[in-house]
PDB file of all heavy atoms in Angstrom:
ATOM      1  N   GLY L   1       0.881  -1.118  -0.068  1.00  0.00           N
ATOM      2  CA  GLY L   1      -0.014  -0.007  -0.076  1.00  0.00           C
ATOM      3  C   GLY L   1       0.947   1.213  -0.062  1.00  0.00           C
ATOM      4  O   GLY L   1       2.009   1.287   0.525  1.00  0.00           O
ATOM      5  N   TRP L   2       0.345   2.319  -0.547  1.00  0.00           N
ATOM      6  CA  TRP L   2       1.289   3.482  -0.803  1.00  0.00           C
ATOM      7  C   TRP L   2       1.753   4.209   0.372  1.00  0.00           C
ATOM      8  O   TRP L   2       2.856   4.815   0.337  1.00  0.00           O
ATOM      9  CB  TRP L   2       0.592   4.337  -1.869  1.00  0.00           C
ATOM     10  CG  TRP L   2      -0.179   5.415  -1.446  1.00  0.00           C
ATOM     11  CD1 TRP L   2      -1.173   5.443  -0.449  1.00  0.00           C
ATOM     12  CD2 TRP L   2      -0.103   6.814  -1.864  1.00  0.00           C
ATOM     13  NE1 TRP L   2      -1.740   6.671  -0.443  1.00  0.00           N
ATOM     14  CE2 TRP L   2      -1.082   7.636  -1.257  1.00  0.00           C
ATOM     15  CE3 TRP L   2       0.722   7.491  -2.760  1.00  0.00           C
ATOM     16  CZ2 TRP L   2      -1.243   8.965  -1.373  1.00  0.00           C
ATOM     17  CZ3 TRP L   2       0.490   8.846  -3.002  1.00  0.00           C
ATOM     18  CH2 TRP L   2      -0.461   9.600  -2.331  1.00  0.00           C
ATOM     19  N   ASP L   3       0.965   4.328   1.350  1.00  0.00           N
ATOM     20  CA  ASP L   3       1.281   5.207   2.477  1.00  0.00           C
ATOM     21  C   ASP L   3       2.292   4.493   3.428  1.00  0.00           C
ATOM     22  O   ASP L   3       2.334   3.144   3.501  1.00  0.00           O
ATOM     23  CB  ASP L   3       0.122   5.480   3.388  1.00  0.00           C
ATOM     24  CG  ASP L   3       0.354   6.642   4.353  1.00  0.00           C
ATOM     25  OD1 ASP L   3       0.429   7.858   3.907  1.00  0.00           O
ATOM     26  OD2 ASP L   3       0.562   6.273   5.523  1.00  0.00           O
ATOM     27  N   LEU L   4       3.173   5.176   4.032  1.00  0.00           N
ATOM     28  CA  LEU L   4       4.218   4.563   4.943  1.00  0.00           C
ATOM     29  C   LEU L   4       3.604   3.955   6.168  1.00  0.00           C
ATOM     30  O   LEU L   4       4.326   3.364   7.020  1.00  0.00           O
ATOM     31  CB  LEU L   4       5.211   5.562   5.297  1.00  0.00           C
ATOM     32  CG  LEU L   4       6.162   5.921   4.150  1.00  0.00           C
ATOM     33  CD1 LEU L   4       7.279   6.930   4.639  1.00  0.00           C
ATOM     34  CD2 LEU L   4       6.842   4.679   3.492  1.00  0.00           C
ATOM     35  N   SER L   5       2.316   4.041   6.444  1.00  0.00           N
ATOM     36  CA  SER L   5       1.573   3.339   7.461  1.00  0.00           C
ATOM     37  C   SER L   5       0.952   2.079   6.985  1.00  0.00           C
ATOM     38  O   SER L   5       0.415   1.348   7.729  1.00  0.00           O
ATOM     39  CB  SER L   5       0.641   4.300   8.155  1.00  0.00           C
ATOM     40  OG  SER L   5      -0.431   4.732   7.264  1.00  0.00           O
ATOM     41  N   ASP L   6       0.885   1.918   5.587  1.00  0.00           N
ATOM     42  CA  ASP L   6       0.346   0.742   5.045  1.00  0.00           C
ATOM     43  C   ASP L   6       1.262  -0.495   5.018  1.00  0.00           C
ATOM     44  O   ASP L   6       2.268  -0.371   4.450  1.00  0.00           O
ATOM     45  CB  ASP L   6      -0.174   1.061   3.676  1.00  0.00           C
ATOM     46  CG  ASP L   6      -1.272   2.151   3.543  1.00  0.00           C
ATOM     47  OD1 ASP L   6      -2.114   2.090   4.473  1.00  0.00           O
ATOM     48  OD2 ASP L   6      -1.375   2.851   2.585  1.00  0.00           O
ATOM     49  N   PRO L   7       0.834  -1.603   5.547  1.00  0.00           N
ATOM     50  CA  PRO L   7       1.712  -2.778   5.677  1.00  0.00           C
ATOM     51  C   PRO L   7       1.773  -3.532   4.236  1.00  0.00           C
ATOM     52  O   PRO L   7       0.839  -3.424   3.487  1.00  0.00           O
ATOM     53  CB  PRO L   7       1.143  -3.721   6.737  1.00  0.00           C
ATOM     54  CG  PRO L   7      -0.349  -3.340   6.671  1.00  0.00           C
ATOM     55  CD  PRO L   7      -0.405  -1.851   6.303  1.00  0.00           C
ATOM     56  N   MET L   8       2.846  -4.213   4.088  1.00  0.00           N
ATOM     57  CA  MET L   8       2.860  -5.193   2.947  1.00  0.00           C
ATOM     58  C   MET L   8       2.108  -6.432   3.559  1.00  0.00           C
ATOM     59  O   MET L   8       2.107  -6.722   4.663  1.00  0.00           O
ATOM     60  CB  MET L   8       4.319  -5.580   2.592  1.00  0.00           C
ATOM     61  CG  MET L   8       4.981  -4.391   2.020  1.00  0.00           C
ATOM     62  SD  MET L   8       6.699  -4.906   1.344  1.00  0.00           S
ATOM     63  CE  MET L   8       6.204  -5.923  -0.049  1.00  0.00           C
ATOM     64  N   HIS L   9       1.648  -7.335   2.486  1.00  0.00           N
ATOM     65  CA  HIS L   9       1.092  -8.656   2.868  1.00  0.00           C
ATOM     66  C   HIS L   9       1.776  -9.697   2.041  1.00  0.00           C
ATOM     67  O   HIS L   9       1.864  -9.573   0.829  1.00  0.00           O
ATOM     68  CB  HIS L   9      -0.450  -8.709   2.735  1.00  0.00           C
ATOM     69  CG  HIS L   9      -1.182  -7.690   3.708  1.00  0.00           C
ATOM     70  ND1 HIS L   9      -1.515  -8.112   4.903  1.00  0.00           N
ATOM     71  CD2 HIS L   9      -1.470  -6.410   3.521  1.00  0.00           C
ATOM     72  CE1 HIS L   9      -2.092  -7.028   5.481  1.00  0.00           C
ATOM     73  NE2 HIS L   9      -2.139  -5.937   4.643  1.00  0.00           N
ATOM     74  N   TYR L  10       2.030 -10.848   2.622  1.00  0.00           N
ATOM     75  CA  TYR L  10       2.568 -11.963   1.921  1.00  0.00           C
ATOM     76  C   TYR L  10       1.727 -13.188   2.232  1.00  0.00           C
ATOM     77  O   TYR L  10       1.685 -13.641   3.315  1.00  0.00           O
ATOM     78  CB  TYR L  10       3.992 -12.291   2.324  1.00  0.00           C
ATOM     79  CG  TYR L  10       4.642 -13.463   1.749  1.00  0.00           C
ATOM     80  CD1 TYR L  10       4.390 -13.857   0.348  1.00  0.00           C
ATOM     81  CD2 TYR L  10       5.438 -14.362   2.498  1.00  0.00           C
ATOM     82  CE1 TYR L  10       4.884 -14.995  -0.217  1.00  0.00           C
ATOM     83  CE2 TYR L  10       5.887 -15.501   1.860  1.00  0.00           C
ATOM     84  CZ  TYR L  10       5.712 -15.751   0.580  1.00  0.00           C
ATOM     85  OH  TYR L  10       6.174 -16.950   0.037  1.00  0.00           O
ATOM     86  N   PHE L  11       1.033 -13.696   1.159  1.00  0.00           N
ATOM     87  CA  PHE L  11       0.102 -14.905   1.314  1.00  0.00           C
ATOM     88  C   PHE L  11       0.695 -16.027   0.579  1.00  0.00           C
ATOM     89  O   PHE L  11       0.955 -16.031  -0.573  1.00  0.00           O
ATOM     90  CB  PHE L  11      -1.217 -14.543   0.801  1.00  0.00           C
ATOM     91  CG  PHE L  11      -1.996 -13.442   1.465  1.00  0.00           C
ATOM     92  CD1 PHE L  11      -1.969 -12.135   0.878  1.00  0.00           C
ATOM     93  CD2 PHE L  11      -2.706 -13.695   2.559  1.00  0.00           C
ATOM     94  CE1 PHE L  11      -2.635 -11.097   1.527  1.00  0.00           C
ATOM     95  CE2 PHE L  11      -3.323 -12.640   3.269  1.00  0.00           C
ATOM     96  CZ  PHE L  11      -3.398 -11.386   2.722  1.00  0.00           C
ATOM     97  N   GLN L  12       1.041 -17.066   1.371  1.00  0.00           N
ATOM     98  CA  GLN L  12       1.621 -18.258   0.813  1.00  0.00           C
ATOM     99  C   GLN L  12       0.505 -19.252   0.374  1.00  0.00           C
ATOM    100  O   GLN L  12      -0.318 -19.501   1.099  1.00  0.00           O
ATOM    101  CB  GLN L  12       2.548 -18.884   1.829  1.00  0.00           C
ATOM    102  CG  GLN L  12       3.351 -20.039   1.309  1.00  0.00           C
ATOM    103  CD  GLN L  12       4.436 -20.515   2.349  1.00  0.00           C
ATOM    104  OE1 GLN L  12       5.371 -19.836   2.499  1.00  0.00           O
ATOM    105  NE2 GLN L  12       4.202 -21.673   2.799  1.00  0.00           N
ATOM    106  N   ASN L  13       0.722 -19.796  -0.816  1.00  0.00           N
ATOM    107  CA  ASN L  13      -0.203 -20.802  -1.363  1.00  0.00           C
ATOM    108  C   ASN L  13      -0.008 -22.114  -0.653  1.00  0.00           C
ATOM    109  O   ASN L  13       1.099 -22.657  -0.488  1.00  0.00           O
ATOM    110  CB  ASN L  13       0.066 -20.993  -2.838  1.00  0.00           C
ATOM    111  CG  ASN L  13      -0.974 -21.751  -3.619  1.00  0.00           C
ATOM    112  OD1 ASN L  13      -1.538 -22.740  -3.031  1.00  0.00           O
ATOM    113  ND2 ASN L  13      -1.230 -21.434  -4.862  1.00  0.00           N
ATOM    114  N   ASN L  14      -1.051 -22.611  -0.032  1.00  0.00           N
ATOM    115  CA  ASN L  14      -1.122 -23.861   0.725  1.00  0.00           C
ATOM    116  C   ASN L  14      -1.142 -25.128  -0.063  1.00  0.00           C
ATOM    117  O   ASN L  14      -1.186 -26.185   0.499  1.00  0.00           O
ATOM    118  CB  ASN L  14      -2.137 -23.822   1.864  1.00  0.00           C
ATOM    119  CG  ASN L  14      -1.894 -22.744   2.874  1.00  0.00           C
ATOM    120  OD1 ASN L  14      -0.744 -22.367   3.227  1.00  0.00           O
ATOM    121  ND2 ASN L  14      -3.008 -22.163   3.316  1.00  0.00           N
ATOM    122  N   GLN L  15      -1.214 -25.012  -1.326  1.00  0.00           N
ATOM    123  CA  GLN L  15      -1.337 -26.162  -2.282  1.00  0.00           C
ATOM    124  C   GLN L  15      -2.694 -26.933  -2.150  1.00  0.00           C
ATOM    125  O   GLN L  15      -2.784 -28.073  -2.629  1.00  0.00           O
ATOM    126  CB  GLN L  15      -0.177 -27.035  -2.156  1.00  0.00           C
ATOM    127  CG  GLN L  15       1.151 -26.483  -2.299  1.00  0.00           C
ATOM    128  CD  GLN L  15       2.289 -27.431  -2.130  1.00  0.00           C
ATOM    129  OE1 GLN L  15       2.068 -28.555  -2.372  1.00  0.00           O
ATOM    130  NE2 GLN L  15       3.502 -26.886  -1.853  1.00  0.00           N
ATOM    131  N   ASP L  16      -3.672 -26.359  -1.480  1.00  0.00           N
ATOM    132  CA  ASP L  16      -4.979 -26.963  -1.205  1.00  0.00           C
ATOM    133  C   ASP L  16      -6.142 -26.147  -1.545  1.00  0.00           C
ATOM    134  O   ASP L  16      -7.295 -26.369  -1.154  1.00  0.00           O
ATOM    135  CB  ASP L  16      -5.075 -27.546   0.255  1.00  0.00           C
ATOM    136  CG  ASP L  16      -4.999 -26.423   1.160  1.00  0.00           C
ATOM    137  OD1 ASP L  16      -4.910 -25.269   0.815  1.00  0.00           O
ATOM    138  OD2 ASP L  16      -5.051 -26.715   2.422  1.00  0.00           O
ATOM    139  N   GLY L  17      -5.903 -24.981  -2.249  1.00  0.00           N
ATOM    140  CA  GLY L  17      -6.963 -24.038  -2.618  1.00  0.00           C
ATOM    141  C   GLY L  17      -7.172 -22.989  -1.486  1.00  0.00           C
ATOM    142  O   GLY L  17      -8.085 -22.223  -1.599  1.00  0.00           O
ATOM    143  N   THR L  18      -6.167 -22.814  -0.572  1.00  0.00           N
ATOM    144  CA  THR L  18      -6.251 -21.849   0.436  1.00  0.00           C
ATOM    145  C   THR L  18      -4.875 -21.143   0.477  1.00  0.00           C
ATOM    146  O   THR L  18      -3.919 -21.610  -0.044  1.00  0.00           O
ATOM    147  CB  THR L  18      -6.647 -22.343   1.818  1.00  0.00           C
ATOM    148  OG1 THR L  18      -5.531 -23.221   2.290  1.00  0.00           O
ATOM    149  CG2 THR L  18      -7.896 -23.170   1.751  1.00  0.00           C
ATOM    150  N   PHE L  19      -4.924 -19.973   1.243  1.00  0.00           N
ATOM    151  CA  PHE L  19      -3.631 -19.252   1.408  1.00  0.00           C
ATOM    152  C   PHE L  19      -3.426 -18.840   2.950  1.00  0.00           C
ATOM    153  O   PHE L  19      -4.368 -18.749   3.659  1.00  0.00           O
ATOM    154  CB  PHE L  19      -3.731 -17.925   0.637  1.00  0.00           C
ATOM    155  CG  PHE L  19      -3.717 -18.064  -0.775  1.00  0.00           C
ATOM    156  CD1 PHE L  19      -4.874 -18.389  -1.457  1.00  0.00           C
ATOM    157  CD2 PHE L  19      -2.531 -17.959  -1.561  1.00  0.00           C
ATOM    158  CE1 PHE L  19      -4.940 -18.545  -2.876  1.00  0.00           C
ATOM    159  CE2 PHE L  19      -2.494 -18.112  -2.938  1.00  0.00           C
ATOM    160  CZ  PHE L  19      -3.706 -18.390  -3.603  1.00  0.00           C
ATOM    161  N   SER L  20      -2.249 -18.760   3.360  1.00  0.00           N
ATOM    162  CA  SER L  20      -1.930 -18.395   4.683  1.00  0.00           C
ATOM    163  C   SER L  20      -1.060 -17.111   4.716  1.00  0.00           C
ATOM    164  O   SER L  20      -0.203 -16.829   3.931  1.00  0.00           O
ATOM    165  CB  SER L  20      -1.010 -19.493   5.405  1.00  0.00           C
ATOM    166  OG  SER L  20      -1.772 -20.662   5.587  1.00  0.00           O
ATOM    167  N   ASP L  21      -1.484 -16.202   5.636  1.00  0.00           N
ATOM    168  CA  ASP L  21      -0.807 -14.970   5.822  1.00  0.00           C
ATOM    169  C   ASP L  21       0.525 -15.097   6.503  1.00  0.00           C
ATOM    170  O   ASP L  21       0.557 -15.481   7.666  1.00  0.00           O
ATOM    171  CB  ASP L  21      -1.627 -13.948   6.590  1.00  0.00           C
ATOM    172  CG  ASP L  21      -1.052 -12.498   6.537  1.00  0.00           C
ATOM    173  OD1 ASP L  21       0.173 -12.372   6.352  1.00  0.00           O
ATOM    174  OD2 ASP L  21      -1.801 -11.676   6.724  1.00  0.00           O
ATOM    175  N   ARG L  22       1.685 -15.083   5.759  1.00  0.00           N
ATOM    176  CA  ARG L  22       2.995 -15.279   6.255  1.00  0.00           C
ATOM    177  C   ARG L  22       3.869 -14.078   6.381  1.00  0.00           C
ATOM    178  O   ARG L  22       5.025 -14.117   6.440  1.00  0.00           O
ATOM    179  CB  ARG L  22       3.740 -16.262   5.400  1.00  0.00           C
ATOM    180  CG  ARG L  22       2.994 -17.572   5.218  1.00  0.00           C
ATOM    181  CD  ARG L  22       3.197 -18.508   6.403  1.00  0.00           C
ATOM    182  NE  ARG L  22       4.615 -18.880   6.609  1.00  0.00           N
ATOM    183  CZ  ARG L  22       5.044 -19.391   7.676  1.00  0.00           C
ATOM    184  NH1 ARG L  22       4.301 -19.570   8.777  1.00  0.00           N
ATOM    185  NH2 ARG L  22       6.330 -19.681   7.786  1.00  0.00           N
ATOM    186  N   THR L  23       3.114 -12.773   6.426  1.00  0.00           N
ATOM    187  CA  THR L  23       3.755 -11.598   6.399  1.00  0.00           C
ATOM    188  C   THR L  23       4.771 -11.455   7.490  1.00  0.00           C
ATOM    189  O   THR L  23       5.961 -11.120   7.256  1.00  0.00           O
ATOM    190  CB  THR L  23       2.827 -10.441   6.486  1.00  0.00           C
ATOM    191  OG1 THR L  23       1.694 -10.645   5.496  1.00  0.00           O
ATOM    192  CG2 THR L  23       3.456  -9.122   6.390  1.00  0.00           C
ATOM    193  N   GLU L  24       4.352 -11.671   8.716  1.00  0.00           N
ATOM    194  CA  GLU L  24       5.312 -11.479   9.915  1.00  0.00           C
ATOM    195  C   GLU L  24       6.422 -12.522   9.888  1.00  0.00           C
ATOM    196  O   GLU L  24       7.582 -12.197  10.119  1.00  0.00           O
ATOM    197  CB  GLU L  24       4.560 -11.515  11.211  1.00  0.00           C
ATOM    198  CG  GLU L  24       5.309 -11.131  12.423  1.00  0.00           C
ATOM    199  CD  GLU L  24       4.500 -10.914  13.710  1.00  0.00           C
ATOM    200  OE1 GLU L  24       3.308 -10.876  13.565  1.00  0.00           O
ATOM    201  OE2 GLU L  24       5.153 -10.620  14.825  1.00  0.00           O
ATOM    202  N   ALA L  25       5.993 -13.733   9.529  1.00  0.00           N
ATOM    203  CA  ALA L  25       7.034 -14.838   9.570  1.00  0.00           C
ATOM    204  C   ALA L  25       8.061 -14.571   8.394  1.00  0.00           C
ATOM    205  O   ALA L  25       9.235 -14.973   8.632  1.00  0.00           O
ATOM    206  CB  ALA L  25       6.270 -16.199   9.413  1.00  0.00           C
ATOM    207  N   ALA L  26       7.720 -13.935   7.408  1.00  0.00           N
ATOM    208  CA  ALA L  26       8.623 -13.580   6.349  1.00  0.00           C
ATOM    209  C   ALA L  26       9.534 -12.458   6.562  1.00  0.00           C
ATOM    210  O   ALA L  26      10.458 -12.037   5.821  1.00  0.00           O
ATOM    211  CB  ALA L  26       7.862 -13.299   5.019  1.00  0.00           C
ATOM    212  N   GLY L  27       9.334 -11.814   7.723  1.00  0.00           N
ATOM    213  CA  GLY L  27      10.120 -10.683   8.151  1.00  0.00           C
ATOM    214  C   GLY L  27       9.701  -9.303   7.525  1.00  0.00           C
ATOM    215  O   GLY L  27      10.470  -8.345   7.548  1.00  0.00           O
ATOM    216  N   LEU L  28       8.514  -9.287   7.018  1.00  0.00           N
ATOM    217  CA  LEU L  28       8.047  -8.113   6.332  1.00  0.00           C
ATOM    218  C   LEU L  28       7.291  -7.134   7.274  1.00  0.00           C
ATOM    219  O   LEU L  28       6.914  -6.051   6.722  1.00  0.00           O
ATOM    220  CB  LEU L  28       7.157  -8.396   5.161  1.00  0.00           C
ATOM    221  CG  LEU L  28       7.763  -9.317   3.991  1.00  0.00           C
ATOM    222  CD1 LEU L  28       6.810  -9.647   3.016  1.00  0.00           C
ATOM    223  CD2 LEU L  28       8.957  -8.502   3.420  1.00  0.00           C
ATOM    224  N   LYS L  29       7.114  -7.409   8.463  1.00  0.00           N
ATOM    225  CA  LYS L  29       6.518  -6.508   9.384  1.00  0.00           C
ATOM    226  C   LYS L  29       7.336  -5.351   9.618  1.00  0.00           C
ATOM    227  O   LYS L  29       8.567  -5.366   9.823  1.00  0.00           O
ATOM    228  CB  LYS L  29       6.305  -7.075  10.815  1.00  0.00           C
ATOM    229  CG  LYS L  29       5.440  -6.241  11.800  1.00  0.00           C
ATOM    230  CD  LYS L  29       5.230  -6.839  13.100  1.00  0.00           C
ATOM    231  CE  LYS L  29       4.381  -6.128  14.028  1.00  0.00           C
ATOM    232  NZ  LYS L  29       4.124  -6.740  15.333  1.00  0.00           N
ATOM    233  N   GLY L  30       6.744  -4.088   9.317  1.00  0.00           N
ATOM    234  CA  GLY L  30       7.515  -2.746   9.427  1.00  0.00           C
ATOM    235  C   GLY L  30       8.028  -2.276   8.027  1.00  0.00           C
ATOM    236  O   GLY L  30       8.465  -1.166   8.006  1.00  0.00           O
TER     237      GLY L  30
END
């Protein structure tokens, strides 16, 4: 997101038709 208060999001494909939010685990928080 464009503002410096907007977080990034990383959704990992679970290979079963769903996704998991791995943003913090990926080190992208902040």
Side-chain angles (χ1 to χ4, degrees):
W2 91 310
D3 191 81
L4 289 180
S5 62
D6 293 327
M8 294 184 70
H9 293 274
Y10 173 43
F11 297 99
Q12 188 172 289
N13 192 322
N14 296 327
Q15 306 182 21
D16 61 359
T18 67
F19 293 82
S20 292
D21 189 337
R22 302 282 299 167
T23 308
E24 188 167 354
L28 296 176
K29 187 176 180 180

